[in-house]
Amino acid sequence: MPIRIRIGRGGKGRLSARILANQLVILTLTGAIGFVLFVFAQRSEIDRAYEQRALDIAQTTAAEPQIRQAVAHGGGDGIVQTVAERIRKASGASYVVVIDLHGIRYSHPDPALIGEPVGDPIPVLDGHPHVGSDQGATGRSANGKAPLYGPTGTLVGEVSAGIPEHDVLGELWRELPTFGLYAAIAVALGSAAAFLLAGRLKRSTFGLELEEIAGLLQDREAMLHGIREGVIAFDPEGRITVVNDEARKLLGLGTALGSRLGEVLPDGRLRRALDGTLTGTDLSVLTDDHCLVVNRMPVALHGRELGAVVTVRDRTELIGLLRELDSVRGLTDALRAQQHEFTNRMHTVAGLLDIGDSDAAYEYAVESAGAEQALTESVRERIGPTLLVGLIVAKTTVAAERGVQVVLSDDSALGEDLPHLRRLLTIVGNLLDNAIDAAAGGPPPAGGRAVELSLIEAVDQVMVRVADSGPGIPPGAAESIFEDGWSTRPDRGTARRGLGLALVHRLAQQHGGTITVSEGPSAVFTVVLPLPDAGLVPRDAQFTTASPIGGDRP
């Protein structure tokens, strides 16, 4: 069942309203600033246009033959004033002033200033026109100055024309409404975009306020890095979006954020459990260092799929304790059964003594005590390590109480100094447990329920071979039988099934060994481990294939 998140909507609408208000303020300010800058830019453009227009008036005046002739010959009895005024009135200029090279005015809107010198130097002595703004007798104007040449092409003076400032400002004010309309349209479009963006942001944040988002982030970081379980989150495309410290440690992940599982983990049961290929709850997965329990849950919010969350729990110690507890319970049951058997034997001895047959009582007691001692001595003769002898005898006793006979093959032989002792204890214990369960589970075969164990040490390797008389391995299951969690039987007691063979397979692979199994009835498991130092094992033994229990095996 997917995880469905429900988020409270306290303060509904506040976030979108705040975003919209802030964006409107920003738009208004930027619009006003842009409008002012545009006005200044347009003012400069209009100034340049009017200065060019004033220059055109000055150049037109300077091209008049009458003015050129009159200035070249010293004034012409007012002809310059007459022509200049006519041009000024026709063009709408505020003034058209003609001066000679000495700065003496030959024309001016104020006749009183004609014949008076100008206060500024003459800029056109370089032969080029000049534009600008100046403050003259008629007020501030856009000014253009053109050189005045005589009939012979000699520079004889200057023509200065000006357009009043109020004409420039009037032109600007006539354009301002258009500029304001453009600015208002831009602000309106920006406001509409801001409103849509605010709504989208509100949906993206699921109605949470900014303070709530910050609080959730703080809570998430504290939770992810404080819990003792690994947590991994995936987006809908399968990329890793969250991984906490515990998950990095348990799975051996480095910088995995933004990566897909195929980029950070090899193919195997672990990756299939994390990406959802394997379904179910509490999936058991063995890694090189841990026994993990994996759960994956899809996440949805308001009907929208957001990805999935995977939790990984380390159950290495717990699984080991549970398996040990289950073994102890099995041994306890066997001891309890042996107690009843011992009581029956004691009753038999007591009965023989009551009837006075002491010789028969003595023979019966010696025979009963010698059977178990003979089993221990038989195993000790061929198996050197004491720990392994105790394991085999204990498994044989437990199997006997379940009606299964465990037989150590005649060719079994192990020396005292065995480098793989700890690994062999795990391998032999798990294989014997599975074999005893298989032999005891089905109907008894013709030859009886039995398990055959072979332990053979050669110069460079050790072989463990376990055969049982059970139903065997289904056809086609030889590849998957060593996967974590694979089992044909339900869990027994507190121990979870499907981990023993996976652990044996993992141990064999880690130390360069091999494990094989036969398919069909009466399964045969064979594990071969290379010895790390052949010099530690001076004996030379040859592997032989013992006859299978309950029929021929490949």
Side-chain angles (χ1 to χ4, degrees):
M1 180 179 180
I3 300 174
R4 303 197 178 275
I5 302 174
R6 294 179 175 84
I7 298 177
R9 300 212 174 236
K12 180 178 179 181
R14 285 165 39 203
L15 177 60
S16 59
R18 288 160 62 183
I19 293 175
L20 181 59
N22 290 332
Q23 289 179 328
L24 288 178
V25 171
I26 294 172
L27 284 171
T28 303
L29 289 177
T30 54
I33 294 172
F35 179 76
V36 172
L37 294 176
F38 188 77
V39 168
F40 278 104
Q42 191 65 19
R43 169 63 188 272
S44 299
E45 185 67 25
I46 294 176
D47 283 341
R48 287 191 295 271
Y50 273 76
E51 288 169 358
Q52 184 62 43
R53 179 181 167 188
L55 179 61
D56 292 341
I57 296 172
Q59 289 175 334
T60 300
T61 304
E64 281 289 330
Q66 293 177 315
I67 293 179
R68 295 172 63 189
Q69 183 73 24
V71 175
H73 292 85
D77 297 329
I79 189 65
V80 175
Q81 172 71 0
T82 302
V83 175
E85 281 298 297
R86 175 170 53 82
I87 293 175
R88 180 183 70 82
K89 294 176 181 179
S91 62
S94 61
Y95 61 86
V96 176
V97 178
V98 179
I99 63 175
D100 61 14
L101 294 179
H102 301 289
I104 303 299
R105 298 185 180 94
Y106 284 78
S107 67
H108 196 279
D110 184 2
L113 295 178
I114 297 176
E116 298 292 330
V118 297
D120 298 327
I122 301 174
V124 298
L125 293 177
D126 59 2
H128 298 289
H130 293 266
V131 295
S133 298
D134 63 0
Q135 183 70 37
T138 60
R140 188 169 184 80
S141 302
N143 178 259
K145 296 179 180 181
L148 177 63
Y149 295 94
T152 61
T154 303
L155 182 66
V156 297
E158 171 191 275
V159 178
S160 177
I163 298 175
E165 179 76 10
H166 61 80
D167 288 351
V168 178
L169 294 177
E171 181 69 21
L172 179 62
W173 281 108
R174 284 191 295 272
E175 294 186 6
L176 285 183
T178 304
F179 302 156
L181 177 61
Y182 293 159
I185 292 175
V187 171
L189 292 177
S191 300
F195 180 79
L196 295 176
L197 178 61
R200 177 164 184 166
L201 289 176
K202 182 178 177 63
R203 290 191 298 271
S204 300
T205 58
F206 305 106
L208 290 174
E209 301 300 328
L210 295 176
E211 296 79 6
E212 294 174 329
I213 295 174
L216 284 177
L217 178 60
Q218 295 174 353
D219 294 343
R220 191 198 76 160
E221 291 300 312
M223 178 188 68
L224 286 179
H225 299 290
I227 61 177
R228 294 295 303 275
E229 291 188 359
V231 177
I232 308 176
F234 301 92
D235 64 11
E237 286 73 34
R239 289 186 294 267
I240 298 175
T241 56
V242 173
V243 54
N244 69 345
D245 298 337
E246 188 71 10
R248 294 181 193 274
K249 183 185 76 172
L250 295 178
L251 304 178
L253 298 177
T255 305
L257 291 178
S259 304
R260 299 179 183 273
L261 277 177
E263 300 171 0
V264 295
L265 287 178
D267 187 24
R269 178 175 173 83
L270 176 59
R271 197 172 92 185
R272 295 197 297 271
L274 293 176
D275 65 16
T277 303
L278 296 179
T279 59
T281 59
D282 292 339
L283 298 175
S284 298
V285 179
L286 283 179
T287 65
D288 293 340
D289 303 312
H290 305 282
C291 178
L292 306 177
V293 177
V294 179
N295 283 284
R296 177 186 172 98
M297 296 295 289
V299 180
L301 179 61
H302 303 319
R304 192 172 74 195
E305 297 297 329
L306 302 181
V309 173
V310 177
T311 59
V312 181
R313 289 173 288 169
D314 186 6
R315 290 294 181 265
T316 306
E317 296 182 2
L318 178 60
I319 292 297
L321 291 174
L322 291 177
R323 293 180 65 83
E324 183 177 350
L325 176 61
D326 196 67
S327 299
V328 171
R329 285 181 176 177
L331 182 59
T332 302
D333 292 340
L335 292 176
R336 186 179 295 110
Q338 285 186 332
Q339 179 187 4
H340 289 290
E341 180 66 19
F342 180 77
T343 301
N344 291 333
R345 291 175 182 177
M346 290 300 99
H347 288 165
T348 302
V349 172
L352 291 174
L353 292 176
D354 286 340
I355 63 177
D357 195 348
S358 58
D359 293 337
Y362 175 77
E363 292 178 1
Y364 180 75
V366 171
E367 180 183 355
S368 299
E372 295 182 1
Q373 185 66 27
L375 171 63
T376 303
E377 292 300 327
S378 174
V379 175
R380 192 184 297 275
E381 288 177 359
R382 284 168 285 181
I383 305 301
T386 305
L387 292 176
L388 200 53
V389 172
L391 175 67
I392 295 174
V393 172
K395 296 296 183 183
T396 301
T397 303
V398 173
E401 297 304 324
R402 300 181 64 184
V404 178
Q405 181 183 12
V406 177
V407 178
L408 184 64
S409 65
D410 295 335
D411 57 351
S412 295
L414 289 180
E416 291 284 350
D417 300 324
L418 195 62
H420 285 304
L421 178 58
R422 294 294 178 183
R423 303 182 190 100
L424 281 178
L425 288 172
T426 300
I427 292 172
V428 172
N430 281 287
L431 291 180
L432 282 179
D433 284 342
N434 287 342
I436 293 171
D437 285 345
R449 296 185 175 95
V451 172
E452 183 181 60
L453 171 64
S454 297
L455 298 170
I456 305 174
E457 179 183 0
V459 175
D460 57 352
Q461 58 188 5
V462 175
M463 184 188 76
V464 179
R465 180 176 176 275
V466 178
D468 63 72
S469 61
I473 305 302
E479 294 294 332
S480 58
I481 190 174
F482 299 111
E483 290 187 359
D484 312 342
W486 192 96
S487 179
T488 58
R489 299 171 61 83
D491 292 345
R492 173 171 56 87
T494 56
R496 295 185 62 85
R497 293 191 176 273
L499 295 178
L501 290 179
L503 183 59
V504 172
H505 182 261
R506 189 66 54 88
L507 283 174
Q509 282 191 329
Q510 285 178 351
H511 299 91
T514 60
I515 179 171
T516 57
V517 60
S518 65
E519 293 185 352
S522 302
V524 179
F525 288 87
T526 304
V527 178
V528 177
L529 293 178
L531 293 176
D533 187 354
L536 296 176
V537 188
R539 55 177 34 184
D540 185 5
Q542 297 294 326
F543 290 162
T544 59
T545 304
S547 60
I549 299 174
D552 295 335
R553 296 189 184 91

